[in-house]
Amino acid sequence: MQPFEVYIPTRIKFGPGRILEVGKIASDLGKKALIVIGGGSVKRIGALDKVQASLTSAGIESTVFEGIEPNPRHTTVNKAGKLAYAEGVDLIVALGGGSVMDASKFVAVLAKQPETDSWSLTSRQPNEGKVGDPLPIIAIPTTAATASEVTPFAVLSNEDIKGKAPMAHEKVKPMVAILDPELHTSLPEKTTVDGAADIMSHVFENYIAGGNDSILADRYTESVLKTVLEATPAAIDDPGDLNARGDLQWAATLALNGMQGVGRAPSGFPMHNMEHALSGQVPDLAHGRGLAVLYPSYFRWMIGHGRAVDRFARLGREMFDVGATDDRIAAAEFIDCFSRWLESVGLYESLVDAGVPEDAFEPAARYAAEAYGDGESISAAGPVTVDDMVEIFRGTRRQSPAAV
């Protein structure tokens, strides 16, 4: 095993109905909370009322900032930060999906730095790493996807340059995460399956490109993937299935809590690099959907270039009981099996089908290379050039119904 370091400071409270404990939890962290939400779904399901009532009963004042978009915009996050500062809050409650939790991490910083532009805090920008002493965050995820409830990462969109970039700092990890599967039972099917794709991406990345040095990390990853394969159809068939919802939520948290890659060699997040660049061009592209679309084409490209073939072969054998002893055959069979699963849950389509026009392919590839690579390429067990990325994007054509 390779040397590693893991730091997981977030206290996790899991179980149906645990959202009602937010007031008690918050009373140890602050006296006035800013509740950050998205487009209003948490109002419709009654989650916001429950959070506000629980905070009030604990003697904690609260103010709501509504309007965080999917792929949150830096201009909106700046407004939320100014409100947090103006209201003098000392605690952030992030109630929503990954975008809300990501935005809340920036808000926790901006509440102490009112003149800072949130975009300047992202990678390769002037204030990267200058987070100061952020406000504490309680994260209450309403989707099973990003694991932002336990990570040091937050991704921001900048429509002015059609780009997306991350902030990464241990200080913005939420102090408490409340994982309540009851909040997920009213999710639309599309949100559920997009989230499932996102969960899997977090363990695929290092599993594929991180080498073979940690069998325990391999088995951990494979367990997360198998759970998502089983729980996603169950949640589609019965949206109120708390066991399936709980399995997806816990799989999401385990997929990016730092444990998924321990003992393996470090690796980049090439699929995320490419997807962030694509959704920077097309902000309406859901992150999980973009990743799902890239999977088969990216996997085919990697195998075609002789990269991580043994890793894909292991995935075929462990996830789908592929019997081929030849690694290249087993790897190809994995892609076929996984593609059929994607199709069964409505995730098998081309980039164009998903709303990304072909004229966005090259600008996205160039942005990925510049923002996440060396200007010419990104890394995936070797360089992936701008032309390679465009080839991967075009390779999704075969996933379109029109190609059948």
Side-chain angles (χ1 to χ4, degrees):
M1 291 177 69
Q2 298 292 319
F4 63 87
E5 180 177 335
V6 178
Y7 175 58
I8 309 173
T10 306
R11 181 180 298 278
I12 296 171
K13 292 183 175 285
F14 177 95
R18 298 209 76 163
I19 190 176
L20 300 177
E21 298 177 27
V22 64
K24 180 180 178 182
I25 295 165
S27 64
D28 292 330
L29 300 176
K31 296 180 179 180
K32 187 173 184 179
L34 180 69
I35 306 171
V36 181
I37 66 173
S41 62
V42 293
K43 290 181 176 179
R44 293 192 293 275
I45 65 174
L48 179 59
D49 286 343
K50 290 178 180 178
V51 167
Q52 288 179 305
S54 182
L55 292 173
T56 298
S57 68
I60 297 169
E61 297 179 58
S62 64
T63 300
V64 177
F65 181 89
E66 179 178 0
I68 299 297
E69 311 91 350
N71 299 313
R73 300 171 186 169
H74 77 292
T75 49
T76 303
V77 170
N78 287 343
K79 293 176 184 176
K82 290 184 184 303
L83 178 64
Y85 176 77
E87 291 288 330
V89 303
D90 54 8
L91 168 67
I92 306 295
V93 176
L95 177 62
S99 293
V100 167
M101 291 187 285
D102 281 10
S104 294
K105 294 175 182 179
F106 284 97
V107 175
V109 174
L110 298 180
K112 296 285 194 73
Q113 302 179 27
E115 301 306 317
T116 301
D117 173 34
S118 57
W119 184 254
S120 74
L121 296 164
T122 61
S123 63
R124 305 187 184 185
Q125 297 301 314
N127 289 316
E128 180 182 6
K130 298 177 182 178
V131 301
D133 186 20
L135 296 183
I137 302 169
I138 298 174
I140 309 175
T142 57
T143 61
T146 69
S148 190
E149 65 271 10
V150 291
T151 74
F153 309 117
V155 179
L156 201 59
S157 295
N158 186 330
E159 287 196 316
D160 296 337
I161 62 169
K162 292 189 174 181
K164 290 177 70 173
M167 172 177 66
H169 202 288
E170 293 291 343
K171 287 186 177 181
V172 299
K173 283 184 177 179
M175 293 191 69
V176 182
I178 299 175
L179 311 183
D180 187 337
E182 284 185 348
L183 300 178
H184 302 196
T185 57
S186 61
L187 286 175
E189 181 176 318
K190 185 176 185 297
T191 304
T192 297
V193 298
D194 287 354
D198 196 6
I199 296 169
M200 292 188 288
S201 73
H202 296 143
V203 287
F204 271 140
E205 295 274 32
N206 185 250
Y207 184 102
I208 292 166
N212 301 296
D213 290 333
S214 179
I215 188 64
L216 183 56
D218 285 352
R219 289 170 175 159
Y220 179 107
T221 293
E222 290 152 9
S223 295
V224 170
L225 291 169
K226 289 177 183 179
T227 298
V228 175
L229 290 182
E230 296 168 359
T232 304
I236 292 171
D237 291 343
D238 179 6
D241 184 339
L242 287 178
N243 286 327
R245 294 295 186 182
D247 283 343
L248 286 172
Q249 174 65 90
W250 189 229
T253 301
L254 292 179
L256 202 59
N257 67 350
M259 299 294 289
Q260 73 282 355
V262 293
R264 294 201 197 106
S267 67
F269 262 42
M271 285 188 290
H272 282 71
N273 299 161
M274 290 186 282
E275 195 292 320
H276 287 328
L278 287 165
S279 54
Q281 294 287 316
V282 182
D284 289 338
L285 177 66
H287 178 54
R289 178 70 47 161
L291 289 162
V293 172
L294 288 176
Y295 283 145
S297 185
Y298 169 70
F299 293 167
R300 286 191 296 266
W301 187 91
M302 289 286 284
I303 293 170
H305 287 75
R307 299 187 190 181
V309 174
D310 60 329
R311 307 299 289 158
F312 288 108
R314 181 180 169 98
L315 283 169
R317 294 173 184 133
E318 296 298 325
M319 289 177 65
F320 297 105
D321 297 321
V322 168
T325 55
D326 182 279
D327 277 357
R328 189 167 287 275
I329 294 173
E333 289 187 16
F334 159 71
I335 296 176
D336 289 341
C337 291
F338 188 54
S339 294
R340 286 194 291 272
W341 183 86
L342 290 170
E343 188 171 15
S344 74
V345 297
L347 284 171
Y348 192 75
E349 59 183 350
S350 71
L351 278 172
V352 172
D353 293 334
V356 183
E358 292 207 13
D359 61 12
F361 291 179
E362 186 171 348
R366 291 198 177 280
Y367 180 84
E370 292 167 2
Y372 303 112
D374 60 9
E376 301 294 330
S377 65
I378 59 173
S379 178
V384 182
T385 67
V386 170
D387 288 344
D388 292 334
M389 285 185 269
V390 172
E391 180 184 343
I392 291 167
F393 299 158
R394 288 176 177 161
T396 68
R397 291 171 178 167
R398 65 190 287 181
Q399 297 154 211
S400 173
V404 177

